[in-house]
Amino acid sequence: MSVAPITLVCLSLATLFVAALPVWLYRRLRAPYALDWRDTIAGVAVFAFFATVIERALNDYVLHQNAAFAQVLANPAFFVLYGALAAGLCEEIGRYIAMRIIARRVAQKSGALADGPALGYGIGHGGAEAWFVGVLVQLQWIVFAVLANRGDLEAHLSNLTLDSVLRVHLILASLSPFFAGVFALERTAAFVFQIALSVLMWRGVRAGWKGIVPLAIVVHALIDVPAAVYQARLAPLAAVDGFYVVAAVVVAVVLYRTCRNERRVARAA
């Protein structure tokens, strides 16, 4: 089999866009919001540890090692509930810990705390998700597509089982320009949500509100519900992605306006 050149080009462009988005936004906001690279690195570290290590370990235990939990989660409703809460619980606890540390450091430098640390952290957290979940995965499929077009794919998959090889071929057969567009939209929406969640957590931590962690977990879970519904095959991909695109546009507009107003207040102070 082979992947159409137009599909390969579209997938490459979409992957490049997702990879460049966090870098571009950091450079764009660095001066206006006095972003600190340490906040961004903290976001990357929190996602890498809490999402790719702790959350995956939790999922492996619940879904594969605990028969009782696995049986309960065979029910689509419970699967959706678990899938939405697991990511929110792990990531928001990590985000809260990081924000507390950042708030202490920033408070020692200045009394007026604008949203710069939250934006810097959110770019790191969301950017890490964009790279780990999106860019690196798509680069793998681009390489597989190139190998397939050259007729070298089977040789590179010789160490895999027959089921794994068939899965690779099925995914390659499903690639299309539409798939590339959906990928770019999904990752961009997720990036926007991660920045918004970071600003939400930052403002809660800054205000000393103890309820910010439960609220952030619930909000994060609600964001993940449509994706979990799709994974449980309870809704079509087009409906889920349509919801995410509309929600991301609304969140981006609100985020822009609130952060801009907060920066003005901080400057006046």
Side-chain angles (χ1 to χ4, degrees), residues 107-150:
Q108 295 174 356
K109 297 172 54 179
S110 172
L113 305 181
D115 290 320
L119 294 173
Y121 173 92
I123 291 173
H125 193 124
E129 182 182 46
W131 271 81
F132 293 162
V133 178
V135 173
L136 297 181
V137 173
Q138 295 309 315
L139 284 176
Q140 171 185 274
W141 293 114
I142 290 172
V143 170
F144 283 165
V146 171
L147 291 173
N149 289 351
R150 293 179 176 177

Side-chain angles (χ1 to χ4, degrees), residues 20 34 38 55 88 104 118 138 160 186 193 198 241 248 252-253 264:
R38 290 173 293 183
E55 185 183 344
R104 292 195 191 101
Q138 295 309 315
L160 299 181
E186 287 179 347
F193 295 145
S198 299
D241 285 338
V253 171
R264 289 173 179 173

Side-chain angles (χ1 to χ4, degrees), residues 203-226:
R203 292 193 175 187
V205 168
R206 188 179 62 181
W209 184 40
K210 295 182 179 180
I212 186 58
V213 175
L215 175 63
I217 292 173
V218 170
V219 172
H220 195 135
L222 289 175
I223 292 173
D224 285 345
V225 163

Side-chain angles (χ1 to χ4, degrees), residues 144-159:
F144 283 165
V146 171
L147 291 173
N149 289 351
R150 293 179 176 177
D152 298 331
L153 181 60
E154 298 297 336
H156 285 78
L157 301 180
S158 59
N159 60 330

